[in-house]
Amino acid sequence: MKRKVVSVILATAMVASMVAGCGGSNNASTNNAGTTTDAAASDASSDTSNDAATTEAADAGDAAADAATDADASLADKKVGVCIYQFSDNFMTLFRTELENYLVEKGFSKDNITIVDGANDQATQTGQIDNFITEGVDVLIINPVNSSSAATITDKVVAAGIPLVYINREPDEEEQKRWSDNNWDVTYVGCDARQSGTFQGEMISDLGLDTVDLNGNGKIDYVMVEGDPENVDAQYRTEYSVKALEDAGLEVNCLSDQVGNWQQDQAQQIVANALGQYGNDVEVVFCNNDAMALGALQAIQSAGRTVGTDIYLVGVDALSEALEDVLAGTMTGTVFNDHFSQSHSAADAAINYITGAGNDHYIGCDYVKVTKDNAQDVLDMVK
């Protein structure tokens, strides 16, 4: 079963209409008003009964609050091991910072939360996982260097009897099926990268062919800058950004598709080379993340091109710098990769395993399409 988490922060700040559309609290208010009217018309013995019930409910609420406090306190001595594929990744820096803060807020001791840098090397991360198992951590939260290594990671962690929460980099469907088939304490928390790719393509298709087809050949001529080719997010963002254009009835032409490994400097060089080779025929630059989009922007500006005038550029993650570029018009758009919802959900999943509550094997959340219209709202949230 897949469960989707909706970000309360986003719903409050950006989707107010969703709140207005929820009728539960209004109905409850109406029902309570009716009950109050009935109670006012009842006899004295009924009033006494209601008072007793109210006292009992209050006592129950106090007991529940005390239990919650005790539950939080019981987490203080629990050990959490967190493996991040690479500390230098901008998005994962936001993620791990929010994850640690939220774990502490939920009752874990900061001294018992260990977060390690895999340095984008699977052998290094495997050694870190082995160390955590030896130390006997109570739960592991892993952002794998290579998603293809998930089966090996799962086997050793499950064999050690440690619950496992994967984050950000999604293991494939076959691997997730093993968790369900064996009823293992393993889950994945993250967003569906197909949605982020779709949003990128839609931001370009929404501009219209007449706007984007600057060379007049009737096609969208684009350059694609991919992240890690083994990463399912990179694969889906690459595929679905183009698919969104085709689904909108647009003809596409790929001028260049290169791997930038999520790195700003690599993307800058890739886009500089593409602009040097194809010149004004480059109409759109798709980047699998914002770090690479920022590198692409440097190359675009160095080539004397202007985003929004003679070229279009989109990324993913909604980094602060990228959002400022969207507001300034120097980036066409980005996609908010909600690190608040994801990190909080990962921590909550870890707590559920520790307390015995358990989890679904997939916990998902939504991306948010970001253009100039809503970039300030997102920037206010992430700053």
Side-chain angles (χ1 to χ4, degrees):
M1 180 185 295
K2 293 191 175 184
R3 177 164 61 89
K4 180 160 287 188
V5 175
V6 179
S7 171
V8 175
I9 299 172
L10 285 175
T12 302
M14 300 173 59
V15 201
S17 60
M18 290 175 61
V19 178
C22 296
S25 61
N26 288 337
N27 290 338
S29 297
T30 302
N31 290 339
N32 289 340
T35 302
T36 302
T37 302
D38 292 341
S42 65
D43 58 22
S45 62
S46 179
D47 290 339
T48 302
S49 175
N50 287 340
D51 289 342
T54 301
T55 301
E56 183 178 349
D59 290 341
D62 290 341
D66 291 340
T69 301
D70 291 340
D72 289 345
S74 72
L75 298 174
D77 63 348
K78 301 300 183 183
K79 295 181 179 180
V80 182
V82 182
C83 295
I84 302 298
Y85 95 95
Q86 183 169 250
F87 275 12
S88 62
D89 183 291
N90 305 68
F91 174 74
M92 289 314 300
T93 297
L94 295 173
F95 192 113
R96 63 187 167 90
T97 301
E98 185 64 25
L99 174 63
E100 182 176 33
N101 291 340
Y102 187 72
L103 284 169
V104 171
E105 179 184 322
K106 297 301 286 186
F108 290 90
S109 167
K110 189 170 183 177
D111 292 338
N112 287 333
I113 303 168
T114 304
I115 305 178
V116 295
D117 180 5
N120 202 26
D121 180 75
Q122 188 58 61
T124 297
Q125 186 176 76
T126 299
Q128 293 167 341
I129 294 169
D130 289 338
N131 290 338
F132 279 134
I133 291 173
T134 300
E135 292 170 13
V137 296
D138 294 285
V139 66
L140 271 167
I141 300 174
I142 297 179
N143 166 219
V145 172
N146 297 325
S147 298
S148 58
S149 298
T152 302
I153 294 170
T154 300
D155 285 342
K156 67 168 54 187
V157 175
V158 167
I162 299 172
L164 172 58
V165 179
Y166 282 105
I167 56 172
N168 184 251
R169 294 184 163 195
E170 183 177 356
D172 62 27
E173 290 183 6
E174 182 179 350
E175 170 61 8
Q176 293 185 45
K177 187 175 185 297
R178 291 202 310 143
W179 312 341
S180 178
D181 289 347
N182 294 284
N183 197 30
W184 289 336
D185 284 345
V186 184
T187 190
Y188 169 73
V189 176
C191 299
D192 186 340
R194 287 168 286 205
Q195 185 185 49
S196 60
T198 299
F199 283 168
Q200 283 188 305
E202 288 176 350
M203 283 187 280
I204 299 302
S205 66
D206 287 348
L207 295 171
L209 181 63
D210 291 343
T211 298
V212 183
D213 183 23
L214 298 163
N215 63 15
N217 68 352
K219 304 176 183 179
I220 304 296
D221 298 288
Y222 70 91
V223 168
M224 180 69 67
V225 187
E226 298 189 32
D228 177 356
E230 279 201 22
N231 187 301
V232 68
D233 285 12
Q235 296 165 13
Y236 282 151
R237 288 172 188 171
T238 298
E239 176 185 355
Y240 279 80
S241 56
V242 176
K243 183 177 184 297
L245 295 177
E246 295 173 330
D247 288 347
L250 299 171
E251 189 174 351
V252 298
N253 178 37
C254 179
L255 299 173
S256 173
D257 187 335
Q258 302 292 324
V259 173
N261 289 306
W262 310 115
Q263 301 300 310
Q264 182 169 335
D265 57 345
Q266 292 186 38
Q268 181 178 4
Q269 190 60 55
I270 289 169
V271 176
N273 292 343
L275 291 172
Q277 182 175 357
Y278 299 104
N280 291 336
D281 280 338
V282 179
E283 296 166 337
V284 177
V285 178
F286 288 105
C287 294
N288 283 173
N289 75 344
D290 279 348
M292 295 191 298
L294 293 171
L297 178 58
Q298 291 173 308
I300 288 168
Q301 293 174 332
S302 294
R305 303 285 292 275
T306 303
V307 173
T309 300
D310 57 20
I311 195 168
Y312 298 91
L313 171 65
V314 290
V316 176
D317 282 341
L319 300 178
S320 295
E321 189 175 349
L323 291 167
E324 289 168 352
D325 281 318
V326 172
L327 287 169
T330 48
M331 191 178 293
T332 308
T334 183
V335 181
F336 181 38
N337 195 0
D338 185 359
H339 62 279
F340 296 109
S341 179
Q342 291 178 67
S343 59
H344 293 188
S345 296
D348 289 338
I351 292 169
N352 285 343
Y353 279 137
I354 289 173
T355 60
N359 296 286
D360 293 332
H361 295 293
Y362 182 101
I363 301 171
C365 62
D366 284 318
Y367 287 96
V368 176
K369 188 188 302 184
V370 183
T371 64
K372 203 166 187 176
D373 292 339
N374 63 340
Q376 187 62 56
D377 292 332
V378 180
L379 183 60
D380 289 342
M381 271 189 288
V382 302
K383 269 195 167 182

